[in-house]
Amino acid sequence: AGHGVEARLEGKAALIGSQRLLAKHGVRLKDFEVQSERLARVGKTPLYVMVNRHVVGLIAVADVLKPQAAKEVQQLCRLGLDVVMVTGDNQYTAQAIAQQAGISRILAEVLPEDKAAEVVRLQQAGASVGMVGDGINDAPALAQADVGIALGTGTDVAIEAADITLLRGDLSGVSAAIALSRRTMQIIRQNLFWAFAYNTAGIPLAAGVLYPVFAILLDPMFAAMAMALSSVSVLTNSLRLRTLRLE
């Protein structure tokens, strides 16, 4: 996993994979080093073809950056979040893709099983981590993160491991989910404040705290009305979520 594939072809040992696979078998790049670096610098991942421990070919593959990725990164930054890209690609490829997306912090050459460990490191540094992913390899990191966000077009394993699943594969749903969650928590706190305020003021009054001095008692009818108004205010405040406009 994260290295490549091995097979026997007409009695010969054939391998196709990353530079890690070469290092594992002690194979040197030789004449392919310049070409592989050139491909990596333009955002393509070089894969090497080896036969009997000799590099005989080079294949370049590339994931197409989602059209809305750069805009979404900007939106997340406006929300005050630090965006980190975690990838198994080499450093050159990762830097090229990160530059297109507008990401400045990169964790490259991370094996699938190490993605969760990178999340742990960020958490140990004091960060609350939200992980966005859609693949099988992302599932452990999604489960480890404080909030795992899976794309609706992702694998079943990723969706099961995540806390939030976006209905579509559109990355714009990430910032929308965060903005909606923040607004929801803000309104919950407001509702708790007003609920405590109403009860703090109303319960002593209903118990007759003003009666010994002012001979004032709270009529049950007015008490019921105040209780209903407190519920209506909380409900009305919650309905403000419907006015939230997500970009």
Side-chain angles (χ1 to χ4, degrees):
H3 290 81
V5 294
E6 303 178 19
R8 294 205 62 83
L9 181 63
E10 298 178 353
K12 299 177 181 179
L15 301 92
I16 301 178
S18 65
Q19 193 168 348
R20 287 191 293 261
L21 188 62
L22 270 68
K24 177 181 175 182
H25 290 271
V27 179
R28 300 182 61 184
L29 280 178
K30 295 183 180 180
D31 300 332
F32 291 90
E33 190 169 357
V34 175
Q35 295 95 318
S36 63
E37 184 174 327
R38 176 175 54 82
L39 291 168
R41 288 187 182 276
V42 294
K44 297 179 180 178
T45 301
L47 300 177
Y48 307 96
V49 182
M50 293 164 278
V51 177
N52 285 344
R53 298 174 62 85
H54 294 286
V55 180
V56 297
L58 177 64
I59 301 172
V61 297
D63 286 327
V64 178
L65 196 66
K66 289 182 181 291
Q68 71 277 19
K71 181 180 178 181
E72 180 64 9
V73 170
Q74 294 176 358
Q75 182 66 17
L76 291 171
C77 291
R78 282 197 290 267
L79 291 172
L81 302 174
D82 294 326
V83 181
V84 182
M85 184 173 76
V86 183
T87 176
D89 286 328
N90 65 51
Q91 191 68 30
Y92 290 131
T93 304
Q95 287 176 345
I97 297 298
Q99 187 174 10
Q100 295 177 38
I103 300 173
S104 58
R105 189 173 178 184
I106 309 163
L107 299 175
E109 300 182 21
V110 179
L111 290 172
E113 61 268 23
D114 293 335
K115 285 186 176 181
E118 294 295 341
V119 172
V120 172
R121 289 191 186 95
L122 292 171
Q123 290 171 328
Q124 290 175 342
S128 294
V129 180
M131 170 72 185
V132 182
D134 61 357
I136 295 174
N137 296 336
D138 298 323
L142 288 168
Q144 175 61 45
D146 296 283
V147 178
I149 303 176
L151 304 183
T153 54
T155 61
D156 292 339
V157 175
I159 292 173
E160 183 66 26
D163 302 293
I164 298 173
T165 300
L166 305 180
L167 296 180
R168 298 173 298 176
D170 189 348
L171 285 174
S172 62
V174 176
S175 59
I178 293 172
L180 180 60
S181 299
R182 287 181 173 180
R183 185 65 176 273
T184 300
M185 292 304 300
Q186 181 184 36
I187 287 180
I188 288 173
R189 294 188 186 98
Q190 292 173 354
N191 288 344
L192 286 172
F193 170 80
W194 287 112
F196 278 115
Y198 276 122
N199 285 281
T200 301
I203 291 175
L205 188 61
V209 69
L210 297 180
Y211 184 78
V213 180
F214 302 101
I216 296 176
L217 287 173
L218 185 62
D219 189 289
M221 182 175 64
F222 289 107
M225 184 182 298
M227 189 64 192
L229 285 174
S230 69
S231 298
V232 169
S233 67
V234 168
L235 179 61
T236 304
N237 190 44
S238 299
L239 288 174
R240 291 170 56 221
L241 277 173
R242 298 181 64 182
T243 66
L244 180 63
R245 293 292 177 263
L246 303 173
E247 296 184 3

